[in-house]
Each structure stands twice: as C-alpha cells, then as structure tokens.
Amino acid sequence: DIRLAENFLRRLKAAGVPMFVATNTRRDLVEDGLRRNGLLDFFDGIVTCPEVGQGKKEGPAVYEAALAKLGGTKENTVIFEDAVHAIRTAKAAGFRVAAIYDASSEGEHEEIRALSDAYFLHYDEITLED
C-alpha cells in the first residue's frame, strides 16, 4: 500500500535520514511516478541505471553513485529492494539490504529472505531501530 510506504518515508525524513532512489527506471518516469503519488519530496535525489551505464543485474554502479551523493558509508547505508537480482548485486558489493515483499517476486521470496539482512511484508512492520 502506497500510504504505508509514505508513512515510513515520513518517519525517516522526520528522523533526518537522507534518502536516495537508485533505480533501473528512467529518470522522467520515476520522477513522474513519485510526484504523482506525493513521494518525490521525501528523497534527496535520484540515480538511475541509464545514467550510470550499468543495470542492477550487471553491477552495483547505481548503488555506489547514490552512496557517493549521500556521503555515507556502506556500514551506515541500507538498500531497500524487492527484486532478487538487485539484492544479490547489493549484497555482493557489501551493502546491507532490507527486502520488502512484492507480489511480482512471487516464487523468489525464500531466496530473498535468505539473502537479505532484514525482510518485511509491509512498511508498517519496520521500526527505525531495525
């Protein structure tokens, strides 16, 4: 549910957590989608795979670019993902990953759960201490 995600983003923003979108989706499409759903202003920026020249299946360039813009470290950064190939890539690059259930990943949930540092069915299950 988009409202659960919005509430989670609102809590992170209120806690001062910087957030970036690292996506395979073209910038114009992701910006339009986030804007239309009232979520764009929660994020400090967007990095896309087309911009970095590498998809999430091929390597972690999109995560590394977002991390560089955030100015953080892999130790204090959590990647939120729902696709097993992206989770594999982020984990292989040394990132911590929180996985969120997505119906489009049906059949891969056990692998997603095993690969991830944390797994959630809904955004309202996540506490900021997780």
Side-chain angles (χ1 to χ4, degrees), residues 7 10 14 16 27-29 32 37 39 45 54 56 58-59 66 73 75 93 107 120 124 129-130:
N7 289 338
R10 190 177 314 289
R27 176 177 289 277
D28 60 324
L29 296 176
D32 287 347
N37 287 289
L39 303 177
Q54 184 182 62
K56 292 180 182 181
E58 291 75 44
T73 65
E75 294 76 29
F120 302 98
D124 63 347
E129 292 78 39
D130 291 328

Tab-separated table of all heavy atoms in Angstrom, residues 7 10 14 16 27-29 32 37 39 45 54 56 58-59 66 73 75 93 107 120 124 129-130:
chain	number	residue	atom	x	y	z
A	7	ASN	N	4.041	6.686	4.937
A	7	ASN	CA	4.210	6.857	6.382
A	7	ASN	C	5.625	6.494	6.821
A	7	ASN	O	6.218	7.163	7.670
A	7	ASN	CB	3.179	6.038	7.149
A	7	ASN	CG	1.788	6.605	7.030
A	7	ASN	OD1	1.603	7.795	6.742
A	7	ASN	ND2	0.783	5.769	7.216
A	10	ARG	N	7.929	9.226	5.710
A	10	ARG	CA	7.704	10.392	6.571
A	10	ARG	C	8.482	10.236	7.894
A	10	ARG	O	9.110	11.177	8.374
A	10	ARG	CB	6.212	10.557	6.838
A	10	ARG	CG	5.839	11.857	7.527
A	10	ARG	CD	4.337	12.028	7.729
A	10	ARG	NE	3.508	11.711	6.586
A	10	ARG	CZ	3.408	12.426	5.459
A	10	ARG	NH1	4.120	13.521	5.327
A	10	ARG	NH2	2.603	12.055	4.489
A	14	ALA	N	11.548	12.632	9.085
A	14	ALA	CA	11.458	13.309	10.380
A	14	ALA	C	12.664	12.985	11.262
A	14	ALA	O	13.095	13.824	12.064
A	14	ALA	CB	10.161	12.919	11.094
A	16	GLY	N	15.592	12.610	10.108
A	16	GLY	CA	16.771	13.173	9.475
A	16	GLY	C	17.582	12.186	8.638
A	16	GLY	O	18.754	12.420	8.368
A	27	ARG	N	14.745	8.305	-15.437
A	27	ARG	CA	14.526	9.425	-14.509
A	27	ARG	C	13.150	10.064	-14.688
A	27	ARG	O	12.435	10.304	-13.725
A	27	ARG	CB	15.618	10.479	-14.661
A	27	ARG	CG	15.378	11.711	-13.774
A	27	ARG	CD	16.503	12.697	-13.887
A	27	ARG	NE	17.689	12.186	-13.240
A	27	ARG	CZ	17.925	12.280	-11.925
A	27	ARG	NH1	17.055	12.853	-11.134
A	27	ARG	NH2	19.030	11.794	-11.412
A	28	ASP	N	12.748	10.369	-15.925
A	28	ASP	CA	11.477	11.054	-16.131
A	28	ASP	C	10.308	10.215	-15.625
A	28	ASP	O	9.369	10.743	-15.025
A	28	ASP	CB	11.275	11.436	-17.597
A	28	ASP	CG	11.277	10.248	-18.546
A	28	ASP	OD1	12.031	9.280	-18.332
A	28	ASP	OD2	10.522	10.294	-19.537
A	29	LEU	N	10.379	8.910	-15.811
A	29	LEU	CA	9.289	8.044	-15.353
A	29	LEU	C	9.245	7.939	-13.832
A	29	LEU	O	8.169	7.990	-13.236
A	29	LEU	CB	9.427	6.649	-15.977
A	29	LEU	CG	9.297	6.582	-17.486
A	29	LEU	CD1	9.541	5.161	-17.979
A	29	LEU	CD2	7.937	7.097	-17.945
A	32	ASP	N	8.029	11.288	-12.368
A	32	ASP	CA	6.582	11.432	-12.566
A	32	ASP	C	5.798	10.558	-11.590
A	32	ASP	O	4.819	11.006	-10.992
A	32	ASP	CB	6.184	11.083	-14.002
A	32	ASP	CG	6.608	12.141	-15.002
A	32	ASP	OD1	6.990	13.256	-14.585
A	32	ASP	OD2	6.558	11.841	-16.215
A	37	ASN	N	2.381	10.413	-6.802
A	37	ASN	CA	1.990	9.772	-5.546
A	37	ASN	C	2.389	10.575	-4.308
A	37	ASN	O	2.255	10.097	-3.179
A	37	ASN	CB	2.582	8.358	-5.476
A	37	ASN	CG	1.862	7.418	-6.406
A	37	ASN	OD1	0.719	7.050	-6.154
A	37	ASN	ND2	2.496	7.041	-7.504
A	39	LEU	N	5.395	11.486	-3.284
A	39	LEU	CA	6.555	10.932	-2.590
A	39	LEU	C	7.884	11.585	-2.989
A	39	LEU	O	8.890	11.374	-2.326
A	39	LEU	CB	6.648	9.424	-2.850
A	39	LEU	CG	5.428	8.595	-2.450
A	39	LEU	CD1	5.637	7.137	-2.838
A	39	LEU	CD2	5.132	8.736	-0.966
A	45	GLY	N	17.510	12.811	-3.736
A	45	GLY	CA	17.928	12.720	-5.121
A	45	GLY	C	17.590	11.377	-5.725
A	45	GLY	O	17.090	10.474	-5.052
A	54	GLN	N	25.006	1.120	-16.119
A	54	GLN	CA	25.049	-0.270	-15.668
A	54	GLN	C	23.751	-0.604	-14.958
A	54	GLN	O	23.321	0.118	-14.064
A	54	GLN	CB	26.231	-0.472	-14.706
A	54	GLN	CG	26.423	-1.900	-14.252
A	54	GLN	CD	27.579	-2.025	-13.279
A	54	GLN	OE1	27.550	-1.439	-12.199
A	54	GLN	NE2	28.613	-2.766	-13.670
A	56	LYS	N	21.256	-3.087	-12.557
A	56	LYS	CA	21.450	-3.757	-11.275
A	56	LYS	C	21.869	-5.208	-11.432
A	56	LYS	O	22.535	-5.748	-10.558
A	56	LYS	CB	20.179	-3.663	-10.430
A	56	LYS	CG	19.873	-2.255	-9.958
A	56	LYS	CD	18.608	-2.229	-9.131
A	56	LYS	CE	18.264	-0.813	-8.678
A	56	LYS	NZ	17.052	-0.794	-7.846
A	58	GLU	N	23.964	-6.219	-13.681
A	58	GLU	CA	25.360	-6.193	-14.107
A	58	GLU	C	26.325	-5.744	-13.015
A	58	GLU	O	27.504	-6.078	-13.054
A	58	GLU	CB	25.533	-5.281	-15.328
A	58	GLU	CG	24.896	-5.819	-16.593
A	58	GLU	CD	23.384	-5.701	-16.603
A	58	GLU	OE1	22.855	-4.643	-16.226
A	58	GLU	OE2	22.737	-6.699	-16.963
A	59	GLY	N	25.867	-4.958	-12.086
A	59	GLY	CA	26.772	-4.486	-11.048
A	59	GLY	C	26.159	-3.399	-10.178
A	59	GLY	O	25.043	-2.946	-10.408
A	66	ALA	N	24.673	6.499	-5.748
A	66	ALA	CA	23.788	7.070	-4.720
A	66	ALA	C	24.542	7.247	-3.406
A	66	ALA	O	24.413	8.277	-2.740
A	66	ALA	CB	22.559	6.187	-4.534
A	73	THR	N	28.576	5.751	4.281
A	73	THR	CA	29.408	4.564	4.129
A	73	THR	C	28.488	3.361	3.939
A	73	THR	O	27.298	3.425	4.261
A	73	THR	CB	30.274	4.317	5.375
A	73	THR	OG1	29.415	4.019	6.478
A	73	THR	CG2	31.148	5.525	5.705
A	75	GLU	N	28.511	0.831	5.688
A	75	GLU	CA	28.135	0.379	7.029
A	75	GLU	C	26.922	1.121	7.581
A	75	GLU	O	26.172	0.575	8.377
A	75	GLU	CB	29.316	0.524	8.000
A	75	GLU	CG	30.478	-0.392	7.686
A	75	GLU	CD	31.322	0.080	6.497
A	75	GLU	OE1	31.393	1.296	6.241
A	75	GLU	OE2	31.902	-0.797	5.823
A	93	ALA	N	28.246	-6.384	-3.260
A	93	ALA	CA	29.023	-5.149	-3.177
A	93	ALA	C	29.258	-4.697	-1.736
A	93	ALA	O	29.898	-3.673	-1.503
A	93	ALA	CB	28.324	-4.040	-3.960
A	107	GLY	N	7.513	-16.549	-5.771
A	107	GLY	CA	8.357	-17.688	-6.092
A	107	GLY	C	9.816	-17.481	-5.720
A	107	GLY	O	10.599	-18.429	-5.738
A	120	PHE	N	10.687	-7.719	5.220
A	120	PHE	CA	9.424	-7.188	5.722
A	120	PHE	C	8.319	-7.411	4.702
A	120	PHE	O	8.530	-7.260	3.503
A	120	PHE	CB	9.554	-5.682	6.000
A	120	PHE	CG	10.640	-5.346	6.971
A	120	PHE	CD1	11.888	-4.922	6.519
A	120	PHE	CD2	10.437	-5.480	8.329
A	120	PHE	CE1	12.901	-4.622	7.404
A	120	PHE	CE2	11.453	-5.183	9.233
A	120	PHE	CZ	12.687	-4.756	8.763
A	124	ASP	N	4.851	-0.916	7.400
A	124	ASP	CA	4.490	-0.581	8.777
A	124	ASP	C	5.111	-1.531	9.799
A	124	ASP	O	5.052	-1.282	10.994
A	124	ASP	CB	2.974	-0.485	8.954
A	124	ASP	CG	2.243	-1.782	8.690
A	124	ASP	OD1	2.835	-2.731	8.125
A	124	ASP	OD2	1.048	-1.857	9.043
A	129	GLU	N	14.650	1.363	14.517
A	129	GLU	CA	15.734	0.626	15.180
A	129	GLU	C	16.137	-0.585	14.379
A	129	GLU	O	17.190	-1.141	14.579
A	129	GLU	CB	15.311	0.177	16.600
A	129	GLU	CG	15.125	1.310	17.566
A	129	GLU	CD	13.803	2.041	17.378
A	129	GLU	OE1	12.773	1.381	17.119
A	129	GLU	OE2	13.792	3.265	17.469
A	130	ASP	N	15.267	-1.039	13.431
A	130	ASP	CA	15.587	-2.221	12.618
A	130	ASP	C	16.783	-1.926	11.769
A	130	ASP	O	17.583	-2.676	11.451
A	130	ASP	CB	14.404	-2.616	11.717
A	130	ASP	CG	13.232	-3.161	12.505
A	130	ASP	OD1	13.449	-3.784	13.542
A	130	ASP	OD2	12.086	-2.944	12.055
